[in-house]
Amino acid sequence: MRSLSKISVSVKFQEWLEKTTTISLNPRPRIECNDGFSMSVQGGEFSYSNPRQFGSNFTEMEIGFPSEYEELIIDYAQSNNNPTDTVYPYVPVEVIIEVIKKHKGMKKN
């Protein structure tokens, strides 16, 4: 099996950010990983992100409603009662990239 480097995952994630950047209230599509894991990743004026403006140069972003428990982000959860039904504010982009890498990379659109 091919190993995914952090650099290749980071580049693919940055390409996704740039492709899905919007100035409207429409959310970005869920990130779907090659092993079936998925999560909402949002950034902008109405999200828990840094900066809180629309664009693609984020240091922290909001994750929402992951498809399964993920230990790499659990410390950011607003609620631990149901980790698949909560929001994860201000997750560092580096952590998001590690989650994607752990789940075998992003599916090609």
Side-chain angles (χ1 to χ4, degrees):
M1 180 191 291
R2 194 181 102 205
S3 172
L4 293 170
S5 73
K6 184 175 180 178
I7 292 171
S8 67
V9 171
S10 178
V11 167
K12 182 144 178 134
F13 179 71
Q14 187 62 37
E15 289 171 352
W16 176 84
L17 279 176
E18 291 169 6
K19 179 179 165 186
T20 60
T21 294
T22 179
I23 58 170
S24 69
L25 296 178
N26 295 332
R28 288 179 162 92
R30 288 178 71 82
I31 289 179
E32 294 185 25
C33 295
N34 288 314
D35 70 353
F37 179 83
S38 68
M39 61 184 169
S40 172
V41 178
Q42 305 298 321
E45 185 177 352
F46 305 105
S47 301
Y48 296 112
S49 66
N50 188 13
R52 291 193 71 180
Q53 61 191 33
F54 295 109
S56 62
N57 295 317
F58 296 98
T59 57
E60 300 170 313
M61 296 186 78
E62 174 185 309
I63 293 177
F65 313 101
S67 59
E68 60 190 70
Y69 173 87
E70 174 47 66
E71 67 183 71
L72 293 174
I73 60 172
I74 197 64
D75 289 342
Y76 299 94
Q78 280 190 331
S79 169
N80 288 335
N81 294 335
N82 185 350
T84 62
D85 192 28
T86 194
V87 172
Y88 298 73
Y90 302 104
V91 179
V93 167
E94 294 83 13
V95 173
I96 296 170
I97 290 168
E98 287 301 316
V99 170
I100 295 168
K101 183 179 174 186
K102 177 180 175 183
H103 291 280
K104 313 292 188 233
M106 294 172 66
K107 276 188 177 179
K108 293 182 181 179
N109 293 340

